């Protein structure tokens, strides 16, 4: 459903039903073939979206996926082969490439992060910093790159961030309020709380949420939080998540502290698009 909705919106905003350039320059029954190729190494993601795009444009176009999502690509590799009416292939070209360039770029960046700490027991998580309307596709691409999906939306779990804590009157108060109101609604879900200081770490550990997010802490501070968990609540299942502008250069040092997860917003908000092209030939 997410793919269908996203494709419908993309074709609508591109006015694909009134592609005047193609309609006035390409014969309606002119047949063609095309390939989608990458100009750089990376990971495939979103390849099945090509079929969804062309199904909506006319349905006569055939898509043969050359690689499954998650495949490692080298420059010059083919992602998909297309055959059908030339005007349909051309009309859908930019929409197909826009989706694939974005999703392949996200998957490729996620793979770089995951590979950098593959030998350590840490998860690389995504965030809600996704393109509006494309969250499920963005998170799908993270998973294709080996990353893990964290909170999908505001209803998926409780995440008490600094503004919630400030409005509630503190870490413990916020957690207590959530537990009380959750119980009153007869619901059960994970609670995560964001902390920025070691004092807040101590307070959060005593409240025993499911997750504690260590926000914008230095590596020594993250290591101290891990040590405090081991000393103060050695038998708990509390998981620690490091977060806050963590780059590839910082990643390994943070992972080596012993945190359970590292969340990286840039996987979805700043991944460079993969350089892809569609090359058309007249059949």
């Amino acid at each position: 459903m997410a793919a269908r909705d996203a494709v419908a919106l993309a074709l609508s905003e591109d006015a694909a039903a009134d592609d005047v350039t193609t309609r006035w320059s390409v014969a309606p029954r002119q047949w063609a073939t095309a390939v989608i190729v990458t100009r750089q190494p990376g990971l495939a993601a979103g390849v099945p979206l090509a079929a969804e795009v062309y199904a909506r444009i006319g349905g006569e176009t055939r898509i043969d996926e050359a690689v499954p999502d998650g495949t490692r690509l080298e420059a010059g590799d083919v992602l998909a082969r297309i055959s059908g009416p030339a005007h349909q292939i051309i009309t859908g070209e930019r929409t197909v490439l826009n989706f694939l360039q974005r999703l392949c770029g996200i998957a490729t960046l996620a793979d770089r992060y995951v590979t950098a700490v593959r030998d350590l027991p840490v998860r690389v998580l995504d965030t809600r910093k996704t393109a509006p309307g494309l969250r499920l596709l963005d998170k799908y691409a993270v998973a294709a790159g080996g990353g893990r999906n964290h909170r999908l939306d505001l209803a998926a779990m409780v995440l008490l961030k600094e503004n919630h804590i400030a409005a509630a009157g503190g870490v413990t108060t916020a957690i207590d309020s959530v537990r009380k109101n959750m119980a009153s609604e007869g619901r059960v879900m994970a609670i995560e709380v964001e902390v920025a200081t070691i004092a807040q770490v101590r307070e959060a550990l005593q409240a025993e949420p499911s997750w504690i997010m260590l926000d914008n802490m230095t590596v020594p501070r993250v290591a101290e939080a891990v040590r405090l968990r081991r000393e103060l609540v050695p038998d708990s299942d509390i998981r620690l998540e490091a977060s806050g502008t963590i780059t590839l250069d910082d990643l390994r040092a943070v992972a080596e502290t012993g945190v359970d997860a590292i969340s990286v917003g840039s996987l979805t908000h700043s991944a460079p698009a993969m350089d892809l092209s569609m090359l058309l030939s007249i059949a």
Side-chain angles (χ1 to χ4, degrees):
M1 294 237 356
R4 288 197 296 269
D5 290 348
V7 166
L9 180 60
L11 290 173
S12 175
E13 72 181 1
D14 211 24
D18 191 25
D19 178 3
V20 294
T21 306
T22 304
R23 188 168 75 246
W24 293 341
S25 65
V26 179
R29 301 313 304 171
Q30 177 65 65
W31 213 256
T33 60
V35 292
I36 300 173
V37 299
T38 177
R39 298 183 184 276
Q40 65 183 88
L43 251 68
V47 178
L49 284 166
E52 182 65 31
V53 169
Y54 285 114
R56 286 184 172 270
I57 286 176
E60 297 176 81
T61 303
R62 176 178 174 179
I63 312 297
D64 292 318
E65 298 171 15
V67 294
D69 285 350
T71 300
R72 293 191 183 279
L73 304 169
E74 298 297 331
D77 283 352
V78 173
L79 283 75
R81 296 179 176 86
I82 307 165
S83 60
H87 71 280
Q88 291 183 9
I89 296 175
I90 294 169
T91 293
E93 174 183 358
R94 177 43 50 200
T95 299
V96 168
L97 291 180
N98 282 349
F99 278 120
L100 267 63
Q101 286 174 335
R102 177 175 179 81
L103 299 188
C104 289
I106 291 171
T108 298
L109 185 59
D111 175 65
R112 292 180 65 194
Y113 273 80
V114 170
T115 299
V117 292
R118 192 178 299 281
D119 59 322
L120 297 173
V122 65
R123 310 177 195 176
V124 175
L125 305 178
D126 59 18
T127 71
R128 287 170 47 242
K129 296 175 182 177
T130 53
L134 296 181
R135 177 164 298 161
L136 288 177
L137 296 182
D138 283 1
K139 283 180 170 283
Y140 169 83
V142 169
R148 301 284 289 273
N149 298 147
H150 198 27
R151 188 168 63 142
L152 176 63
D153 54 37
L154 294 172
M157 65 179 287
V158 175
L159 176 45
L160 293 163
K161 296 182 72 67
E162 59 181 336
N163 288 334
H164 299 101
I165 293 166
V171 170
T172 303
T173 304
I175 294 173
D176 288 345
S177 179
V178 164
R179 285 179 170 146
K180 177 182 177 180
N181 286 294
M182 186 190 303
S184 72
E185 294 185 19
R187 303 175 71 178
V188 177
M189 61 178 61
I191 299 173
E192 180 166 10
V193 60
E194 177 186 89
V195 299
T197 67
I198 292 300
Q200 286 185 321
V201 171
R202 289 179 177 274
E203 186 178 0
L205 286 170
Q206 295 303 318
E208 296 193 8
S210 305
W211 288 81
I212 298 175
M213 179 191 293
L214 310 172
D215 187 48
N216 283 305
M217 288 190 177
T218 63
V219 172
R221 290 294 189 192
V222 173
E224 186 175 356
V226 173
R227 178 183 61 78
L228 284 172
R229 178 182 60 176
R230 185 171 59 247
E231 292 179 359
L232 299 179
V233 286
D235 299 322
S236 80
D237 294 325
I238 300 173
R239 286 161 286 182
L240 298 180
E241 170 193 343
S243 182
T245 322
I246 296 171
T247 68
L248 270 170
D249 291 337
D250 310 322
L251 184 70
R252 189 163 185 89
V254 176
E256 288 174 341
T257 63
V259 290
D260 303 286
I262 300 172
S263 56
V264 184
S266 62
L267 297 182
T268 49
H269 72 60
S270 297
M274 183 177 283
D275 188 2
L276 303 176
S277 292
M278 184 181 293
L279 307 177
L280 182 138
S281 302
I282 298 303

